[in-house]
């Protein structure tokens, strides 16, 4: 078995690959450039409020608060389902939430889910 480190979208994964068939051959090692994972996208603040971005593609399973509700920092505002797992998306700051998506919508990475002003 040979072990490799693979970087996909800035996230590192260790994988083991089993050799099948034939005699194992030693291959010369080559230097591999390592790039540090990109930092998570921070919510962007502007004159219109703080945008809450989708961290990954998924399905909006439910909205945890009403549109226009006052929320506190780190309070769950919606549930994003990805790969059969429910993920709470929380408010990055205190304010009033305005949703940019509806329950049942499919979203891509970095899609604006809500704005908190």
């Amino acid at each position: 078995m040979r072990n490799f480190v693979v970087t996909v979208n800035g996230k590192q994964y260790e994988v083991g690959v089993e050799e099948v068939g034939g005699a194992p051959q030693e291959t010369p090692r080559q230097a591999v450039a390592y790039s540090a994972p990109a930092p998570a996208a921070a919510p962007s603040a502007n004159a219109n409020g703080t945008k809450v971005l989708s961290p990954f593609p998924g399905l909006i399973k439910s909205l945890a608060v009403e549109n226009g509700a006052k929320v506190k920092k780190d309070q769950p505002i919606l549930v994003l389902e990805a790969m059969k797992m429910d993920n709470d998306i929380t408010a990055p700051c205190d304010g009033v939430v305005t949703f940019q998506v509806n329950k049942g919508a499919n979203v891509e990475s970095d899609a604006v889910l809500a704005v908190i002003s």
Side-chain angles (χ1 to χ4, degrees), residues 64-86:
V65 296
E66 294 290 324
N67 201 27
K70 289 184 181 180
V71 295
K72 297 284 185 187
K73 182 178 182 191
D74 297 326
Q75 177 181 347
I77 59 171
L78 62 86
V79 176
L80 179 64
E81 180 185 295
M83 297 178 64
K84 304 294 182 194
M85 293 181 62
D86 291 348

Side-chain angles (χ1 to χ4, degrees), residues 40-42 51-57 107-113:
K51 293 179 181 176
V52 181
L53 304 178
S54 177
F56 37 75
V107 297
E108 296 297 323
S109 294
D110 297 326
V112 177
L113 303 175

Side-chain angles (χ1 to χ4, degrees), residues 26-49:
E26 193 63 35
T27 56
R29 294 188 175 252
Q30 295 178 341
V32 177
Y34 169 76
S35 62
S44 60
N46 59 29
N48 297 330

